[in-house]
Amino acid sequence: MSARMTLHVTETETAWLGGLLEAWEAVGGDALARRGAFHVGLCGGSTPAVFYKALARSKWPWSATQLYIGDERCVPPNHRDSNYRMIYEAFYPVKPVLHRWKTELGDYARAATDYEHLIKRETGDPPRFDLLLLGIGDDGHTASLFPGSPALNEETRSIVLTEIPRLKSKRLTITLPVIRRARVVWFLSRGAKKWPWVEKMAAGQGADFPAGRATCDAAPPIIHHCRL
Ligand code: 6PG
């Protein structure tokens, strides 16, 4: 068994985005009121882009908000596969503080170490995000924690460089302890392909795949699932 998660299901993109924006205001407003800052870990992939674009159009105090890439492909920041590039473009023309790995240096182990130092400096040691957004891969992965990855067993480091044999690539990612320590964790999910994972996660039956192993000490992760 794994911890049950809270499930919010919406039928349309409009309803999904409306719920996310409302929840963002609540979580972010609380962080700003309590601590004067809002530190948010962002997921990559394709699902969140429309939400990031909606956020960029919303009235929000970006000067008090710091965004962090939660996981990254080992490609330059202008590469079509770069999560940083997708997120930068989605938030444009708003230019929020957006922290990323320096993958252009090509020394990915150094990039992982430098980024770990950065998130500790900005969010505390051990790192603690006010809000952490995660996706669910078609194989049940989350961030760049893939099934069978040794990175799933990392309990000390907050950031690791990991190999993905199935994709023949390397990735940089937050680890499960970072997810566990976040104040609020959301999964952003859409479509029928993700529903089997979502159902298991909501029922606390996700112990055998990475997304289902994500826990949050402060409160159960919330799955924001849109059927379309
Ligand atoms: C990445 C993501 C990854 C993503 C899932 C879901 O770098 O790909 O961080 O964890 O969230 O793969 O991706 P989609 O939203 O494209 O289905």
Side-chain angles (χ1 to χ4, degrees):
M1 288 291 277
S2 58
R4 296 174 72 93
M5 299 185 187
T6 302
L7 178 56
H8 293 170
V9 180
T10 47
E11 302 300 328
T12 65
E13 182 178 275
T14 303
W16 185 68
L17 290 175
L20 286 170
L21 289 168
E22 195 176 318
W24 172 281
E25 293 263 348
V27 173
D30 181 68
L32 293 175
R34 290 174 188 270
R35 294 176 293 279
F38 186 33
H39 298 278
V40 185
L42 302 177
C43 58
S46 58
T47 299
V50 65
F51 174 47
Y52 298 154
K53 289 174 183 171
L55 277 174
R57 293 192 300 269
S58 73
K59 281 198 170 307
W60 183 256
W62 293 108
S63 58
T65 302
Q66 296 205 49
L67 305 177
Y68 306 76
I69 313 288
D71 69 301
E72 186 57 279
R73 294 84 182 272
C74 289
V75 296
N78 60 354
H79 191 281
R80 68 176 180 282
D81 291 342
S82 165
N83 283 333
Y84 167 77
R85 176 174 165 179
M86 178 276 287
I87 292 168
Y88 177 85
E89 291 176 348
F91 275 99
Y92 194 84
V94 173
K95 289 191 178 157
V97 173
L98 177 55
H99 298 293
R100 67 178 182 84
W101 282 272
K102 290 190 171 46
T103 52
E104 66 276 19
L105 300 179
D107 180 345
Y108 303 123
R110 169 75 190 272
T113 307
D114 290 351
Y115 195 68
E116 175 148 357
H117 291 155
L118 182 150
I119 63 173
K120 285 180 175 177
R121 186 186 71 228
E122 298 298 329
T123 72
D125 184 2
R128 188 174 198 195
F129 291 114
D130 295 310
L131 174 61
L132 182 58
L133 306 184
L134 295 169
I136 306 172
D138 292 345
D139 59 357
H141 78 262
T142 195
S144 283
L145 299 168
F146 282 75
S149 169
L152 286 163
N153 303 316
E154 178 60 53
E155 284 295 323
T156 306
R157 290 178 294 168
S158 297
I159 299 290
V160 293
L161 170 63
T162 180
E163 301 263 353
I164 319 293
R166 180 172 67 84
L167 302 177
K168 296 185 177 59
S169 70
K170 290 182 180 178
R171 297 275 192 99
L172 292 151
T173 185
I174 55 172
T175 54
L176 288 176
V178 175
I179 301 173
R180 201 161 45 236
R181 281 194 301 267
R183 288 186 169 88
V184 177
V185 174
W186 295 350
F187 284 94
L188 304 186
S189 157
R190 293 186 68 169
K193 279 174 80 174
K194 299 187 191 290
W195 183 249
W197 304 114
V198 168
E199 261 188 325
K200 287 182 179 177
M201 292 159 72
Q205 295 167 355
D208 60 350
F209 59 95
R213 285 185 51 185
T215 58
C216 174
D217 293 341
I222 301 172
I223 308 166
H224 294 272
H225 181 77
C226 179
R227 290 199 196 282
L228 291 183

